[in-house]
Amino acid sequence: MKEIKLYLIIYILLGLVQQAAAQTDSKASQRMLPDSTDVFYQHLDLNEVVVTGLTGDSRMKEMPAPVTVVSRRDLQASAFTNIIDAVAHMPGLSQITTGSGISKPVIRGLGYNRVAVVNDGIRQEGQQWGDEHGIEVDAESVNLVEILKGPASLMYGSDAMAGVLIFHPQPVASLGELLGNVTSEYQTNNGLFGYSANLLGNQNGFVWDARWSQKMAHAYKNRRDGYVPGSQFREQAARAMLGLNKSWGYSHLTLGYYHLTPGIVEGERDETTGELEAATTHLKTYGKTLPFQQIYHYKAVLDNSLNIGNGTLKVLLGYQQNQRKEFEESSHEAGLYFRLHTFNYDMRYLFEPGNDWKLAFGWGGMFQRSENKGEEFLIPAYRLADIGLYATASKRLGKWNLTGGMRADHRRLHSEALWDDGELRFEDFTRSFNGVSGSVGAVYNVNGNLNLRANLSRGFRAPNMSELGANGVHEGTIRYEVGNQHLKPEHSWQLDLGMDYTSRYVSTQVALFANRIDNYIYTHRTAEVFDAEHHTYRYAAGDARLMGFEASVDIHPVHSIHFANAFAMVDARQLHQQRETKFLPFTPAPRWTSEVKYELTHDGRFFDNTYFSAELFCHLRQNHYYMADETETATPSYTLFNLSAGTDIKGRLSRGRLASARRIASLYLTVNNLFDRAYQNHLSRLKYTDENPKTGQMGICNMGRNITLKVVLPIGF
């Protein structure tokens, strides 16, 4: 509690930051067409932003739990290597990284299967239990990101205990439109080159949307380690949507393909020089070098919405296939090879019976089949069946908006036995889990500028097959993992309190939370030694308590200047434990971000939305870590400085005697880590690779200075 009070004092003294700016921009992004000359960076009322609610789309001021929105223009103006990296700077959100190409989302100190990712309307399922298993989503296909913080099990079932990241595709084109864009970027640190081409249209209600993206990067570098062998990656993605939009509703079929080839960073060093092995070869190659992974993700989603009476029936069916291969000794024969089949289904009816009531009820779940196709084994092959029934309601009473609901879930997991070299590697066992989750919340609109909110929620998460049955060497994490068949499901109670204030000159938000989790599951390093290269990690469980807050303020004394600050922290502890084991692993350090943005022009003759920005990212020291058996180490504080600039270039479009201005290109220039600081983020897995015998420093640092140039060319007919 002393630490929480200290950070509250720091927040009050510094007057902190930034979430409001991102949410403000989201509304303008949704309104802006490719040839629009809307003022994008103007201040907008946060209360009018529309987000996903329990009973359908709702304005942000009606949501009792905290929500953050990242717009398309925010994504375009940012420098990142994957979609999670693009949003990880938002208050309350962090990322577990493995080099520059792989990121896993963490919301308020909780990650892995506690964060659900929704893309194209369905839960993304891609073996997300693994430390180095990223999210198989093309960042260029994402138009808007919603970050729901806190248990969201009502809508998404188990695995949404920490919250949900919803990736929204771009809206369908208006009737009679044919639009598109081409995007290209280059990054200097790892030589990243990427491009994406998109075309969409609407002819008499027949709609389509097609995109192709490709990205490649060689090894990244930093001032301390030089180039980091194995951190290169290649990415390809395609997406196509065909559908009908009519007065009765719509029906859309979306097909997706994603292929990622990341290297595996082993971090081995020369005993004499301390340099990373292979530091003189394959450093700037865009090709494959052993060891590496191959990840394929295929998807088909049928999304239907039918207008029935005074409500809407939504039926969503999806199939996903995820293939994940690890190549160690040979580039032709995979060591580990997982193939996961997932069938998602969801049916819900949303309606408004009148008198300011909004109701929804439905059922949904998934079936899974995971296969081991390789020569090595880490988790058993398994089958999963999951179903949930839910109902939600919201009611407007004067200045009050009340929201609540309940959900019941059932999940069944069956592990298949496996004999390896005459020994029983995996046992045949079946586990069933039941959970009831719910929430009740209220928002009080004091006036048009000030909202107060409170929410109490109950979360549920069933253990995954890795936690229950792992038994093998995981090369990607450089450790031997052992599961625990006796784990119980996690249950949580979380209380959220918040307020937001928006006026012409200032926008501010404060969100406080307290979370109690029973049977919290985590991995810890043991004293057992599997071999000279791999330490043994086992899954265990205990009761946990997480507390923290996010606070932000955006001050804009004049139209062209914004001074935005944010502070976020979480204190995550395991109850009834000694000092060495009382802090939960992979808890993000407290973080302060600050930005000064100057908007130079709006609706000029040749330039529009021109801005310059300077940012500061300060990560405080993290000395709350899981100490036992050297599972984690403390991480010193560090501060990074970034610069960015952007503009829209306008041209004249003549139509007979009429002439109008339209955007013909957008340019963005970003410099991250301006002073080339050598640092290690507390959630970087490369922090625990080999010690440098020459300097005595453990692990590998994050990326050094990186300059990004991005060009967006809109197309309109």
Side-chain angles (χ1 to χ4, degrees):
M1 291 303 296
K2 291 181 179 179
E3 291 86 354
I4 295 177
K5 292 179 181 178
L6 175 60
Y7 296 138
L8 283 169
I9 293 172
I10 293 174
Y11 164 71
I12 294 172
L13 293 176
L14 295 175
L16 307 169
V17 156
Q18 169 175 342
Q19 181 178 0
Q23 292 172 331
T24 295
D25 290 348
S26 67
K27 181 185 176 184
S29 173
Q30 291 175 308
R31 297 184 306 154
M32 187 172 185
L33 297 176
D35 60 347
S36 172
T37 58
D38 282 353
V39 176
F40 175 70
Y41 289 102
Q42 65 182 343
H43 175 70
L44 296 170
D45 189 349
L46 291 177
N47 295 334
E48 301 306 315
V49 176
V50 176
V51 296
T52 301
L54 294 179
T55 51
D57 291 343
S58 303
R59 289 184 296 175
M60 185 170 291
K61 71 176 183 179
E62 299 172 349
M63 297 289 287
V67 180
T68 300
V69 177
V70 184
S71 71
R72 177 63 177 171
R73 287 293 294 257
D74 277 327
L75 295 174
Q76 289 180 338
S78 301
F80 53 85
T81 55
N82 57 71
I83 185 59
I84 302 303
D85 187 36
V87 299
H89 63 283
M90 303 306 296
L93 191 67
S94 306
Q95 58 177 329
I96 296 174
T97 60
T98 306
S100 60
I102 299 175
S103 300
K104 299 179 68 66
V106 175
I107 297 178
R108 291 177 165 178
L110 299 175
Y112 297 89
N113 283 81
R114 298 177 187 89
V115 176
V117 174
V118 176
N119 186 42
D120 290 321
I122 64 172
R123 286 173 39 152
Q124 187 81 4
E125 291 292 325
Q127 309 280 6
Q128 58 266 34
W129 48 265
D131 286 65
E132 86 295 8
H133 298 173
I135 305 299
E136 305 87 353
V137 175
D138 172 26
E140 296 298 331
S141 68
V142 178
N143 182 70
L144 191 75
V145 182
E146 280 186 42
I147 305 168
L148 282 61
K149 302 171 188 174
S153 300
L154 284 182
M155 297 182 66
Y156 304 104
S158 177
D159 302 353
M161 179 175 287
V164 181
L165 268 68
I166 305 176
F167 298 135
H168 292 281
Q170 62 185 337
V172 298
S174 299
L175 196 65
E177 281 189 326
L178 179 61
L179 307 170
N181 65 74
V182 177
T183 302
S184 183
E185 69 173 308
Y186 178 75
Q187 299 184 13
T188 60
N189 185 285
N190 57 356
L192 184 149
F193 172 73
Y195 67 90
S196 182
N198 173 234
L199 187 66
L200 66 157
N202 184 337
Q203 185 67 34
N204 297 324
F206 174 69
V207 296
W208 68 92
D209 189 341
R211 178 180 294 275
W212 169 260
S213 302
Q214 190 165 5
K215 185 185 300 180
M216 61 190 74
H218 60 65
Y220 79 85
K221 63 181 178 180
N222 60 67
R223 190 167 59 183
R224 181 184 299 172
D225 304 304
Y227 285 97
V228 179
S231 60
Q232 73 274 9
F233 65 91
R234 297 176 66 96
E235 177 184 290
Q236 292 179 332
R239 180 182 183 273
M241 185 276 289
L242 296 173
L244 287 174
N245 280 33
K246 296 295 183 179
S247 59
W248 47 261
Y250 66 80
S251 180
H252 297 164
L253 174 64
T254 301
L255 303 177
Y257 161 80
Y258 180 90
H259 178 205
L260 177 66
T261 307
I264 296 177
V265 180
E266 296 184 303
E268 298 177 350
R269 295 181 180 271
D270 186 278
E271 295 182 358
T272 303
T273 65
E275 293 184 356
L276 291 167
E277 291 190 1
T280 58
T281 59
H282 306 302
L283 294 179
K284 293 189 177 182
T285 179
Y286 291 91
K288 297 174 293 189
T289 60
L290 292 171
F292 65 92
Q293 298 184 60
Q294 290 272 30
I295 297 101
Y296 295 89
H297 196 87
Y298 306 94
K299 179 188 297 184
V301 180
L302 182 60
D303 185 3
N304 304 279
S305 180
L306 306 176
N307 301 323
I308 301 177
N310 60 348
T312 302
L313 176 65
K314 293 183 178 293
V315 180
L316 194 148
L317 303 173
Y319 169 76
Q320 302 174 73
Q321 183 185 126
N322 184 273
Q323 298 180 25
R324 185 173 295 272
K325 307 176 184 179
E326 291 186 4
F327 297 85
E328 304 152 24
E329 306 298 332
S330 168
S331 59
H332 304 289
E333 296 183 5
L336 287 174
Y337 179 6
F338 304 112
R339 186 165 66 185
L340 177 67
H341 305 268
T342 303
F343 174 72
N344 304 86
Y345 61 94
D346 186 85
M347 179 182 294
R348 70 184 67 173
Y349 184 63
L350 303 92
F351 63 104
E352 300 182 21
N355 199 25
D356 289 327
W357 279 97
K358 295 173 66 177
L359 305 175
F361 61 88
W363 62 286
M366 63 181 177
F367 299 98
Q368 282 189 338
R369 171 79 168 98
S370 180
E371 305 170 284
N372 280 321
K373 310 291 288 185
E375 299 178 346
E376 301 176 4
F377 310 100
L378 174 58
I379 67 171
Y382 69 88
R383 296 179 184 271
L384 179 150
D386 185 270
I387 186 172
L389 303 174
Y390 57 91
T392 64
S394 67
K395 168 68 173 177
R396 182 75 179 177
L397 290 172
K399 292 187 175 183
W400 290 89
N401 195 79
L402 308 178
T403 303
M406 293 191 66
R407 179 183 177 109
D409 279 285
H410 174 76
R411 173 171 291 187
R412 184 178 183 273
L413 269 170
H414 174 70
S415 166
E416 300 179 4
L418 176 68
W419 292 83
D420 184 22
D421 293 331
E423 296 184 359
L424 182 62
R425 182 67 168 274
F426 301 121
E427 297 182 14
D428 184 291
F429 68 88
T430 300
R431 293 289 307 276
S432 295
F433 306 97
N434 298 299
V436 176
S437 52
S439 73
V440 58
V443 179
Y444 180 63
N445 306 129
V446 179
N447 53 47
N449 303 104
L450 178 63
N451 302 306
L452 303 178
R453 62 193 77 243
N455 193 71
L456 178 65
S457 52
R458 171 76 166 172
F460 160 75
R461 186 184 79 89
N464 60 51
M465 186 51 72
S466 174
E467 295 164 336
L468 294 169
N471 184 19
V473 173
H474 197 176
E475 293 292 344
T477 62
I478 321 175
R479 64 194 196 186
Y480 187 90
E481 298 180 1
V482 181
N484 182 350
Q485 293 184 25
H486 305 291
L487 293 173
K488 299 178 181 180
E490 296 178 345
H491 294 278
S492 71
W493 283 103
Q494 178 161 318
L495 175 64
D496 285 277
L497 299 174
M499 64 81 68
D500 62 80
Y501 176 79
T502 304
S503 71
R504 182 177 179 182
Y505 300 108
V506 64
S507 298
T508 183
Q509 290 187 327
V510 178
L512 300 93
F513 66 92
N515 190 4
R516 165 66 187 262
I517 304 177
D518 296 328
N519 306 315
Y520 178 87
I521 301 170
Y522 63 96
T523 57
H524 67 100
R525 180 171 159 180
T526 70
E528 306 168 75
V529 178
F530 176 72
D531 58 30
E533 298 180 354
H534 303 89
H535 294 281
T536 300
Y537 284 73
R538 290 184 176 271
Y539 286 93
D543 296 336
R545 184 270 293 157
L546 297 90
M547 298 177 64
F549 71 96
E550 299 103 34
S552 65
V553 59
D554 179 8
I555 302 172
H556 33 88
V558 295
H559 180 72
S560 59
I561 296 178
H562 287 257
F563 179 49
N565 291 269
F567 190 82
M569 65 85 59
V570 57
D571 183 73
R573 305 188 182 211
Q574 189 175 188
L575 301 177
H576 317 300
Q577 296 290 321
Q578 300 297 319
R579 165 71 178 173
E580 291 76 13
T581 57
K582 73 175 182 178
F583 296 112
L584 298 184
F586 282 106
T587 299
R591 184 178 66 195
W592 168 39
T593 62
S594 184
E595 178 189 24
V596 176
K597 178 183 290 183
Y598 175 56
E599 300 164 5
L600 187 62
T601 62
H602 283 306
D603 199 19
R605 181 177 177 84
F606 300 107
F607 299 98
D608 195 6
N609 302 323
T610 304
Y611 71 93
F612 298 95
S613 172
E615 297 175 303
L616 175 149
F617 286 79
C618 179
H619 292 247
L620 302 185
R621 175 179 173 84
Q622 180 57 290
N623 53 13
H624 290 182
Y625 60 97
Y626 193 93
M627 300 179 180
D629 300 308
E630 299 182 352
T631 298
E632 286 188 306
T633 59
T635 304
S637 63
Y638 61 89
T639 301
L640 305 178
F641 294 89
N642 303 330
L643 298 176
S644 62
T647 188
D648 293 334
I649 301 176
K650 299 168 64 174
R652 307 299 291 179
L653 178 64
S654 297
R655 295 175 179 174
R657 296 182 178 181
L658 299 177
S660 61
R662 64 183 297 268
R663 179 162 59 99
I664 61 174
S666 296
L667 302 178
Y668 303 98
L669 178 66
T670 304
V671 183
N672 285 343
N673 195 358
L674 175 65
F675 299 109
D676 201 21
R677 174 73 183 270
Y679 70 98
Q680 291 178 328
N681 186 282
H682 187 70
L683 301 190
S684 170
R685 292 184 49 259
L686 301 186
K687 181 173 178 279
Y688 300 99
T689 56
D690 290 351
E691 179 182 294
N692 187 329
K694 190 173 182 179
T695 64
Q697 295 172 328
M698 178 190 292
I700 296 172
C701 290
N702 291 73
M703 184 182 292
R705 182 189 299 114
N706 188 28
I707 302 174
T708 301
L709 176 63
K710 188 178 298 186
V711 180
V712 180
L713 302 175
I715 304 170
F717 302 94

